[in-house]
Amino acid sequence: MRALAEDEARQWCVAHKIALDERQLPQPGFAESLGRDFRIPGDAGRRMALLTGLFRIIPEDQEILLWFTEWGVWPSSERPHMFERFRDSYGEHRWLSDAPAYAFAPDEREDLISFVGFGILFLWDCHVLTASADTWLFLSHDEGGWICSRRPNQALE
């Protein structure tokens, strides 16, 4: 896992041909026609089950960028100290605001899912993007999300 500053996350997106919107956040161009939205359940167990299901669609054979783009919206649902200590265990000691993105190699999948788990539990906005720019998962603080893929044979049910 490599922690990235915002400008490095943008560079990663550009290098992997992932468009950025007017706010300089990821905006894959195929999302409108090949995706589905979903609600994030209130129950923590159901959130983890949803996350497991969503990751069946995320490819395992390439680098993945996880980019947290908003947090602190619902402070009562967060435990930032837990996340900071978790990041510390990976040797990353910068504040989330200084390194909000992470690039994960294919063999770091469980680490990736664990990081995204904080996003879904704490209701943080986060983007999960593939290096081939063919799959995108977005989780929102508004208790919803979006997943899309243009990989062959990917069921988005």
Side-chain angles (χ1 to χ4, degrees):
M1 175 206 73
R2 289 185 340 265
L4 306 173
E6 272 188 43
D7 61 327
E8 294 171 311
R10 288 185 188 99
Q11 291 169 13
W12 190 97
C13 289
V14 169
H16 293 90
K17 297 179 177 43
I18 296 170
L20 300 173
D21 66 15
E22 64 279 351
R23 298 177 302 151
Q24 297 298 294
L25 297 176
Q27 187 58 57
F30 63 91
E32 299 79 23
S33 61
L34 297 172
R36 72 169 174 95
D37 58 354
F38 55 86
R39 298 300 308 154
I40 296 173
D43 177 76
R46 289 189 178 153
R47 287 183 188 186
M48 290 295 102
L50 172 63
L51 187 64
T52 298
L54 292 169
F55 265 86
R56 289 189 188 110
I57 298 166
I58 306 294
E60 299 180 21
D61 61 347
Q62 58 188 292
E63 185 175 65
I64 304 287
L65 179 72
L66 165 61
W67 186 355
F68 293 106
T69 56
E70 191 162 357
W71 55 89
V73 176
W74 305 114
S76 63
S77 71
E78 299 178 6
R79 293 293 305 155
H81 181 262
M82 285 172 54
F83 186 68
E84 296 302 332
R85 296 297 294 179
F86 181 70
R87 286 168 26 107
D88 284 347
S89 76
Y90 284 85
E92 180 52 52
H93 306 295
R94 292 176 286 177
W95 295 107
L96 179 59
S97 57
D98 295 328
Y102 307 86
F104 292 88
D107 64 345
E108 297 175 313
R109 188 164 181 87
E110 285 301 316
D111 302 295
L112 166 64
I113 294 169
S114 295
F115 270 76
V116 178
F118 279 98
I120 201 168
L121 286 174
F122 294 171
L123 294 174
W124 289 352
D125 287 8
C126 62
H127 300 263
V128 178
L129 305 150
T130 60
S132 60
D134 61 3
T135 305
W136 173 47
L137 168 63
F138 174 69
L139 301 173
S140 171
H141 68 271
D142 288 325
E143 300 181 47
W146 179 265
I147 190 162
C148 56
S149 179
R150 57 180 171 195
R151 290 176 68 100
N153 302 320
Q154 278 300 351
L156 293 175
E157 301 166 9

